Amino acid sequence: QVQLVESGGGSVQAGGSLRLACATSGDPYSIYFMAWFRQAPGKEREGVAAFDSDGTTSYAEAVAGRFAISQDNAMNTLYLQMNSLKPEDTAMYYCAARQPGEIQRRLLLSPLEYNTWGQGTQVTVSS
């Protein structure tokens, strides 16, 4: 069974940057897709960034051009580089994996498609 552990959250001022990391343990070959999600208080969980099976990426419109998803296969770690942070980026950020199965590209940012989740890391952006 794969486990996901996020780190790197914190408090920053608007315009600042953070890099989140998601360390995976278990069988990495059982992971077919990985993504980042976030959930602000009182709001639904929303997709932020994801990898497709061919290595291409998908981003939510709200973060495109500011956030970048990447992975270090040797370290079994997924990253989310967040630049030009805004107060509306404040949320709990979660790493998620799908094992196994396929996800249609149009659903890569749907939380319903993922079956393994980390515990989350808090990001707070002040104005």
Side-chain angles (χ1 to χ4, degrees), residues 4 30-35 50-54 71 78 96-105 108 113-116:
L4 309 174
S30 69
I31 297 175
Y32 282 49
F33 296 86
M34 292 199 75
F51 272 112
D52 203 341
S53 57
D54 60 1
Q71 58 188 3
L78 183 74
R98 170 66 177 263
Q99 41 165 170
E102 294 298 320
I103 302 177
Q104 296 180 37
R105 184 167 181 84
L108 281 174
E113 297 295 319
Y114 295 81
N115 52 16
T116 303

Side-chain angles (χ1 to χ4, degrees), residues 8-14 16-18 20 85 90 121-126:
S11 297
V12 296
Q13 290 190 329
S17 299
L18 283 174
L20 306 183
L85 282 162
T90 295
T121 185
Q122 178 67 38
V123 172
T124 302
V125 185
S126 59

